[in-house]
Amino acid sequence: MTKIDVFRALHRKRAQGDPLVLPGPWDAATARVFAEAGFPALATPSAGVAASLGYADGATPADEMFAAVARIARAVDVPVSADIEDGYGLAPKELVERLLEAGAVGCNLEDSNGGALKDPHEQAEFLAEVRSAAADRLFVNARVDVFVHGDGDPERAIERAALYVAAGADCVYPILAPTAVLPLLRAGIQGPINMLARLDGEGPSPAGLGELGATRVTFGSGLQRRATAAVQEIADALKG
């Protein structure tokens, strides 16, 4: 099986309470740590990669992001999906080519830009063009930003998700959706759902999110921020 075949298979027939857990490496070293720990696939976080490169979230130049993804994918044998924000304004064909050149098997694509939601029909058209250019070579995770930049209405999230799935998205990611609405989202959305897990103990565990309907779980930049906090503690101890 190719890496994309493996990645697709990991999303199929997940038992309730057993979601696909995808840690987010921000460089080659952390990718190797997660792969050697036994995780079957990884998903880069754009904010975590940005921080590792010295940029604010959303400010990483496309060339540097793709180069970082390539270093991560090259460092491990497991499939790597890449968070590429809203696509950096690239045409679908070029976007797909650059992802494949970097060694990615999938991507996250946001439906907002500059803090504002995009028109869902235009976003669906964009996703359809990405799917057409990629054929079966990429797993497309369509992020739904209703709970970040919209009114937080689950029905709006479900409506957007339906358009994106119809356009060919393989998975839907209602980022920062409250745990309480996950069962409603699960009932209204066809196919896999990606949920964000918190590391501060405030939200459900990955298994808990799986019980509520999540197919897969990612962590955003949470792992990178936690690692940075640990480095800060070491720095403070050295200085003190």
Side-chain angles (χ1 to χ4, degrees), residues 49 57 84 103 130 138 144 168 193 213:
V49 173
D57 184 19
I84 51 170
V130 170
L138 288 174
V144 177
I193 295 178

Side-chain angles (χ1 to χ4, degrees), residues 13-37:
K13 299 180 179 178
R14 304 295 310 188
Q16 188 172 356
D18 181 33
L20 174 61
V21 177
L22 297 174
W26 52 94
D27 59 17
T30 50
R32 285 176 174 157
V33 168
F34 293 134
E36 290 170 4

Side-chain angles (χ1 to χ4, degrees), residues 92-185:
K93 185 175 184 295
E94 182 180 358
L95 186 65
V96 167
E97 289 173 350
R98 298 198 68 172
L99 282 164
L100 294 174
E101 287 172 0
V105 301
C107 63
N108 281 8
L109 284 168
E110 305 170 4
D111 67 347
S112 66
N113 180 269
L117 288 172
K118 296 181 178 181
D119 178 274
H121 296 281
E122 292 179 1
Q123 179 69 1
E125 290 178 6
F126 174 66
L127 291 171
E129 291 177 7
V130 170
R131 166 55 63 220
S132 177
D136 293 327
R137 296 177 295 171
L138 288 174
F139 187 99
V140 178
N141 189 34
R143 209 176 91 172
V144 177
D145 286 0
V146 166
F147 301 99
V148 183
H149 302 303
D151 60 8
D153 184 344
E155 293 300 331
R156 299 291 81 74
I158 291 171
E159 290 171 2
R160 284 176 173 261
L163 289 171
Y164 303 161
V165 170
D170 298 288
C171 185
V172 175
Y173 182 14
I175 189 170
L176 295 183
T179 303
V181 307
L182 180 50
L184 177 61
L185 296 176

